[in-house]
Structure formats: C-alpha cells, structure tokens
Amino acid sequence: MMKLVLLLLILNVLPVSAGAQPASAGPPAVGVVRAERQQITQTDEFIVEGAEVKKGDLLYQLEQPPFQAQVDNNKANVAQLEAQHTFAEQQLARSQYLIKTPAGQQQTVDQDVSNERSLAAQVASAKAQLDIAQINLGYTEIRAPIDGRISATEVTEGNVVSPTSGTLATLVSQDPMYVLFPVSMRAGLDLRDRYEAKGGFNAVIIKVRLTDGRIYGQEGKLDYVSPTVATNTDTVTVRGIVPNPFIPGLPEGGPAPRELFDGEFVTVLLEGVQPITVLAIPRAAVLSDQQGDYVYIVDAQNKAQQRRIQLGQSTPSTAVVSSGLQEGELVISEGLQRARPGEVVSPGPASPPPQVSPRGTSEPSEPAEPASSGSEKKP
C-alpha cells in the first residue's frame, strides 16, 4: 500500500515539473538622450615651453671719479669759452656803433664778427664734449630699464667691468608674460578660417593649464603670428600675452610672488570668445571600432539601430556630431551592452550628467553661466 502512494505522488509531480516554463523578461532597458543642438566654446590645446625690481632702480654702480673729473673739466671749458664769447659780442657791438662815426673802420667790424662767430662755434663744441662726458658718467650707473625679476649677478664689488665682460645679470619682465608656442600649418589654417571673419585675434582668448593641472586664473590674448614657417617641423610660432599679477596674500618680495615663471612649460588653450551651436550628445554614447565612431539610436518601433557618425571638436564628456545624426533622434547612452541592432529595447531617460566639468575642457554653456574651459616668457 505504501509503494502505491509513492508512485502516485511521483506521477503527480513529474507532469507539473516538466511543463514549467520561465517567465518572459521583456525588452532590455536602456537609457536614452535626445540629440539636441547646444552651445559650446571651441577650444584648441597646445603644449608650450614656459628679487623683483622697478624701472629706474639702481642695479650696479661703476667707478665714477675719472668720469666725474672729465665732466667737471668740460664744464670749466664751456664756462671759459662762454666768457670769451660774451666779450666778443660786446666788442662787435662797439665796432658796429663806431662804424657810424668817422672813427669807425669796416675792417675792424669784419674782424670782430669773425671773432664772435668763432667763439660761438667753440662754445657749441665745448657743450657737445660736456654732453659726451655726462653720458659716459651716466653709464657708471646701471639702472633697471623695465619692471621685472633680476637673475643672480655675474659680478660683485671690486670686479673689473668692461665692454667685454659679458652679461652682468638678466632682467625678466614679469607682468605681463609672453607665451610662445608652435602651431602646425594645418591647425593654423583651421584657426584662421574659424576666427578670421569673427575678429581675428580679438575672437580668441588664451587660457593656461599649469603643470599641476590647474587652470590659471588670468585670461590672455593673441598678439603675434610668425611670418615664416619652420621648414623642419612645418609649424609657425604664435605668441600670446597673459597677465601675471602678484598672488594675493603672498609677500611681493618673496621668492615666488607670481604664478608664472620665465621658461615654464604649460599647456595653452585657445578658446573662442563666442560660443557656437552644435549637435551634441554625451561622450559615453559614442562607440568605436575599426570603421570609426558610431552610436545606437532608438527608432519609432523601439528598435536599436546602429548609426555611423563623424565627430567634431569634442570634450571628455560631450561629443559634437558633425554628420550622421539628426536633431531630435533618441541616442542610447546607458545600457549599451544590452543593445543589439534590430532588437526591441525599452527606452527610458538617461541619468543626468554630473555638474563638474573636467579641468581644462569646455562644456556646453548654460543660460545662467558662461561656458568654462581651459609660459615661456621673453622680455
């Protein structure tokens, strides 16, 4: 009797187990964004090479007595000749008066005129020699021609200095600083085409990324493009001018009171002043293979479709699409691993991107805030 009951239980369970089927999971869920036109600031990036004194400050004083003596001698010579010239003028005046009387003679007048003019010339020559002596005396004081930071001196008190002594010290202008960087001819032509009609130099601002990754707080302007091309590199040299004020809170006489240094290597960002309107999508939505870049879109039947695209100037978080995508199309930016061409998906809004912009990049500008983005110094 017991065996019969077990057999019936087995018979009753088996058909139920054999007939059980898993429930359908439905289309895979993906996050989508709508391809929309946004404003971005165009940015081009280039890698470049990068005790203060005031104008007029006395830097060196050479031995003065010999030069001062020459000045004094020339002053005395000028005074002597001026006195002689004054007497000659008086003598000429007397002879010119006497010529009107029977006692006067024309020969005497002519002689006095010659003497007065000769002494006038000697006075002028003596004054010129005095000027030369004063100039030479002035050379004994070497003063700063500009505001800047001076290097270590090559001479000290007691050294002999002559025209062959070489450089005594180097004075480097600190504010503003020049930033010099090479630009390939191809990039230069692109920059010209992009900004020439918008104001040329005035349509571009310079931002500098320092070696620690920070974006320097001062903006600069382009002011020079080399007229020649370096044939070995096919580049032209571009120069910008960047303010370099004292760092607030630091002593101006300290070892590093400013942010930028002569010869410092920095990264230069050329940024358009006016934003442009582009078709932009999240950078995470873009995939790449050997054929190039592509995205997945969701069509009217909620099917994922592969779409080949061409990218324009993009940032790590925003991709600018120059071709291959239409405004308003739904682009998959989340759950890409679940999307298959031609298969149905369940689209939903993608998570909003974080509000922190990567350092040194330009993100789409918001209505309430301007778009953000991202030296060798020669005196």
Side-chain angles (χ1 to χ4, degrees), residues 77-78 80-89 92 109-127:
N77 190 35
V78 168
Q80 179 183 4
L81 290 172
E82 284 180 335
Q84 295 176 4
H85 179 243
T86 299
F87 176 76
E89 288 178 322
L92 175 60
V109 173
D110 294 342
Q111 182 65 40
D112 290 342
V113 169
S114 175
N115 189 42
E116 186 275 332
R117 291 182 178 177
S118 175
L119 286 170
Q122 293 179 55
V123 169
S125 176
K127 287 183 177 180

Side-chain angles (χ1 to χ4, degrees), residues 57-274:
D57 285 353
L58 181 62
L59 305 180
Y60 298 94
Q61 182 169 304
L62 309 183
E63 186 179 13
Q64 292 185 331
F67 299 95
Q68 184 63 57
Q70 186 63 47
V71 169
D72 295 340
N73 179 67
N74 284 80
K75 284 182 178 180
N77 190 35
V78 168
Q80 179 183 4
L81 290 172
E82 284 180 335
Q84 295 176 4
H85 179 243
T86 299
F87 176 76
E89 288 178 322
Q90 295 170 347
Q91 186 69 25
L92 175 60
R94 282 193 293 269
S95 62
Q96 287 175 333
Y97 173 77
L98 292 174
I99 195 64
K100 301 175 184 179
T101 67
Q105 296 183 3
Q106 184 63 44
Q107 182 179 0
T108 302
V109 173
D110 294 342
Q111 182 65 40
D112 290 342
V113 169
S114 175
N115 189 42
E116 186 275 332
R117 291 182 178 177
S118 175
L119 286 170
Q122 293 179 55
V123 169
S125 176
K127 287 183 177 180
Q129 293 299 317
L130 175 60
D131 290 340
I132 294 174
Q134 289 175 327
I135 291 173
N136 290 332
L137 176 62
Y139 287 152
T140 63
E141 291 186 349
I142 301 176
R143 296 183 179 273
I146 58 173
D147 292 349
R149 195 170 188 85
I150 191 170
S151 68
T153 182
E154 299 295 332
V155 296
T156 58
E157 185 175 355
N159 291 142
V160 176
V161 177
S162 69
T164 60
S165 297
T167 301
L168 304 183
T170 301
L171 183 60
V172 181
S173 175
Q174 296 291 292
D175 186 17
M177 297 284 272
Y178 290 131
V179 57
L180 302 174
F181 55 101
V183 175
S184 69
M185 278 303 299
R186 180 174 180 178
L189 293 174
D190 179 65
L191 290 171
R192 184 193 65 185
D193 295 341
R194 188 186 307 169
Y195 296 116
E196 187 68 28
K198 300 177 183 179
F201 285 169
N202 293 327
V204 183
I205 62 174
I206 290 178
K207 291 192 175 182
V208 173
R209 183 188 296 127
L210 304 176
T211 53
D212 61 0
R214 292 182 297 116
I215 297 298
Y216 180 51
Q218 301 287 334
E219 295 180 352
K221 298 290 293 183
L222 289 176
D223 75 335
Y224 172 77
V225 176
S226 171
T228 59
V229 179
T231 56
N232 57 333
T233 58
D234 194 34
T235 60
V236 292
T237 299
V238 179
R239 187 180 73 182
I241 185 168
V242 183
N244 189 31
F246 288 107
I247 301 174
L250 292 183
E252 295 184 3
R258 303 179 190 268
E259 192 76 73
L260 302 181
F261 290 85
D262 176 36
E264 179 180 2
F265 282 86
V266 297
T267 300
V268 170
L269 306 174
L270 296 186
E271 184 176 287
V273 174
Q274 297 295 331

